[in-house]
Amino acid sequence: MYSIAQEYATANELQLSLQWFEKLLAQHPTHAYGHYHYAKVLERCERVDDAMEILRRGLAHARHANDGKAASELASYLDELTP
């Protein structure tokens, strides 16, 4: 699902990409990089508030899993989007 979502994002099929990211996170809610790249597509769709919410969720999961690398990347991206 992650790869399919990424392929649609690369092809600029953003609505299809969002649908696949939603499916991915519904089945695998702790997929840190799914949250990261879902937020990227949301940002491209000018849905920055939604992207920030997804990043916060992903960050909470990454911290809970003690995944420092993912947490750092999610936090950094969230900082970029925060006004």
Side-chain angles (χ1 to χ4, degrees):
M1 285 181 274
Y2 176 79
S3 296
I4 293 168
Q6 286 290 78
E7 286 296 321
Y8 279 123
T10 300
N12 210 34
E13 294 285 346
L14 302 183
Q15 293 308 312
L16 289 171
S17 178
L18 291 174
Q19 290 173 12
W20 280 97
F21 277 119
E22 289 164 10
K23 289 178 187 180
L24 168 69
L25 295 178
Q27 291 184 23
H28 305 280
T30 62
H31 194 291
Y33 292 103
H35 284 84
Y36 183 92
H37 289 284
Y38 184 26
K40 287 285 189 185
V41 176
L42 286 166
E43 181 187 15
R44 288 172 61 190
C45 292
E46 299 181 7
R47 294 175 52 189
V48 175
D49 289 341
D50 293 334
M52 291 171 61
E53 179 57 32
I54 291 297
L55 289 168
R56 286 186 195 101
R57 275 194 249 157
L59 182 55
H61 288 299
R63 286 180 175 156
H64 186 263
N66 293 319
D67 186 342
K69 183 175 188 283
S72 175
E73 291 178 17
L74 288 159
S76 178
Y77 184 26
L78 182 58
D79 286 344
E80 287 177 32
L81 294 181
T82 303

